Amino acid sequence: MREVILKVDNLKTYFNTDDGIVKAVDGVSFELKKGEILGIVGESGSGKSVTNLSLMKLIPSPPGKIMGGTAVLDGEDIFKMNDNEIRKIRGNRISMIFQDPMTSLNPFLRISTQLIETIVLHQDLDKEAARKRAVEMLELVGIPNPAKRVNDYPHQFSGGMRQRVMIAMALSCDPEILIADEPTSALDVTIQAQIIELIQDLCRRMNTAVIMITHDLGVVAGICDTVCVMYAGRVVEKGTNDEIFKEPKHPYTQGLIKSVPRLDKPTSEKLFSIKGQPPNVINLPECCPFHPRCERAMDKCRNTYPPVTTLGEDREVRCWLYEEDK
Ligand code: SF4
């Protein structure tokens, strides 16, 4: 049984806007175990990125605010930490890689400067040792001729290579948790699989836990051990990879899985799509937010938000269908 290293409980992150309160994350709970790869999946606006920015305390305030909940890392609540304490966590114990590496790398500085700065900032190493570590990390992520390429500028690397540099930077301080926020969305399809495999391979070798944020169910199916499906700011289904893909319970998860193109289906067959659009999360009424799109919606769904139904160990769903079964 793997040890739980991060426990998020009832996280609420809201944004105050001129149109009303956006409840971007509204009561999210999950656990992350050592060395585990957890996928957080959902459409744009489901709250997956805000959940993880909240964990790093990177929510712009105002207009955003963490309104409640806890995120306990090794017995300490991240949300109770002051700026100094959280700075020690960021990059050191929890690292993050973003969609577009070009926006995270400074185009005016050599890779060596940026990597060495990160290593010196977070580890007790002098510049020479940090440079050696930087070259080792570039080699580890598959950059050819790393001792020479470390002196290049970001624009001298392709998109895929830049994302490899970001992975090197994120893992250079040996974090316990890596948050990867849509790490392949800005890359060519051919490169995407290589980057995903690299993250999986390195994290398994370094025993780093990963939170993989994605809208791509193919990525989740391929590498994640456990999965949280988010809709309108809440987790609507949780389970192991097998449970979610072999026996999805929530109608939204079932729709997501049905809409993935499959090689064993004739190309002439029309691809399934979930009808309608995700809801506007401003002033959401207390009903199931999926009901306008759900083929199995009942009267109750239109009036009351479904509670969490526990179906087994770490297996949960938020849907009235399963409360009815009980
Ligand atoms: Fe569909 Fe009702 Fe379940 Fe919501 S609670 S997903 S509307 S059946």
Side-chain angles (χ1 to χ4, degrees):
M1 189 81 166
R2 287 173 176 163
E3 171 200 352
V4 173
I5 50 170
L6 177 71
K7 186 171 166 52
V8 178
D9 195 26
N10 204 20
L11 168 64
K12 295 182 180 190
T13 306
Y14 297 172
F15 291 81
N16 222 334
T17 71
D18 291 344
D19 295 329
I21 293 176
V22 176
K23 294 183 176 178
V25 173
D26 198 19
V28 163
S29 304
F30 62 86
E31 286 181 352
L32 180 69
K33 301 190 180 94
K34 203 173 174 63
E36 171 186 48
I37 303 183
L38 164 73
I40 300 189
V41 67
E43 290 163 292
S44 299
S46 58
K48 51 196 194 305
S49 290
V50 174
T51 298
N52 288 288
L53 288 172
S54 304
L55 295 179
M56 298 286 268
K57 284 183 101 176
L58 287 174
I59 295 294
S61 179
K65 194 168 179 201
I66 296 172
M67 301 298 292
T70 55
V72 177
L73 177 71
D74 268 350
E76 271 185 282
D77 185 0
I78 293 175
F79 301 148
K80 292 209 175 105
M81 291 180 185
N82 61 32
D83 288 352
N84 246 343
E85 290 167 327
I86 194 73
R87 261 196 294 274
K88 284 186 196 149
I89 298 270
R90 274 190 218 129
N92 233 353
R93 300 183 63 190
I94 307 180
S95 271
M96 200 159 179
I97 46 176
F98 297 91
Q99 276 182 27
D100 184 359
M102 205 51 188
T103 55
S104 314
L105 290 165
N106 186 331
F108 299 107
L109 296 177
R110 292 179 196 277
I111 295 298
S112 54
T113 313
Q114 302 186 55
L115 249 176
I116 291 168
E117 191 178 278
T118 307
I119 295 168
V120 168
L121 189 70
H122 295 290
Q123 291 198 332
D124 195 16
L125 292 177
D126 60 27
K127 274 206 164 164
E128 202 180 316
R131 187 181 178 84
K132 196 166 164 257
R133 173 92 176 136
V135 173
E136 278 169 14
M137 287 309 297
L138 289 185
E139 186 164 24
L140 194 66
V141 297
I143 304 277
N145 200 0
K148 185 169 173 286
R149 298 295 319 262
V150 75
N151 297 316
D152 286 348
Y153 288 92
H155 72 269
Q156 293 173 281
F157 289 82
S158 64
M161 286 293 168
R162 279 197 290 266
Q163 195 58 294
R164 284 176 190 263
V165 171
M166 286 310 302
I167 295 168
M169 206 175 272
L171 295 180
S172 60
C173 299
D174 207 2
E176 288 152 75
I177 300 170
L178 173 72
I179 299 176
D181 190 351
E182 304 268 13
T184 58
S185 317
L187 303 176
D188 291 347
V189 177
T190 47
I191 307 295
Q192 290 183 358
Q194 294 174 16
I195 294 295
I196 292 297
E197 259 176 45
L198 178 69
I199 294 173
Q200 183 187 27
D201 176 47
L202 290 181
C203 292
R204 292 272 192 246
R205 272 155 61 186
M206 298 167 87
N207 206 18
T208 309
V210 181
I211 301 177
M212 177 70 69
I213 305 165
T214 183
H215 63 273
D216 186 340
L217 278 182
V219 168
V220 175
I223 73 163
C224 295
D225 302 307
T226 45
V227 185
C228 285
V229 181
M230 285 192 71
Y231 191 77
R234 297 187 191 178
V235 174
V236 294
E237 184 162 1
K238 241 188 246 180
T240 62
N241 188 317
D242 260 10
E243 287 165 343
I244 295 288
F245 285 94
K246 290 195 181 142
E247 241 188 298
K249 296 290 186 191
H250 197 282
Y252 176 59
T253 316
Q254 291 167 351
L256 283 180
I257 292 171
K258 256 169 87 179
S259 55
V260 175
R262 289 178 49 168
L263 289 172
D264 59 348
K265 295 268 171 179
T267 46
S268 54
E269 199 173 287
K270 203 173 167 219
L271 201 58
F272 175 83
S273 69
I274 303 172
K275 65 175 185 184
Q277 298 292 325
N280 182 344
V281 286
I282 296 180
N283 304 328
L284 259 185
E286 268 303 304
C287 57
C288 172
F290 189 61
H291 82 261
R293 307 173 77 186
C294 181
E295 283 165 5
R296 303 182 68 186
M298 307 166 278
D299 281 349
K300 191 186 269 186
C301 311
R302 298 181 187 93
N303 299 316
T304 326
Y305 195 89
V308 173
T309 307
T310 304
L311 304 170
E313 200 190 337
D314 297 335
R315 181 83 174 108
E316 289 175 1
V317 63
R318 267 185 187 269
C319 172
W320 280 117
L321 293 171
Y322 303 95
E323 278 295 301
E324 295 282 300
D325 283 357
K326 272 204 311 195

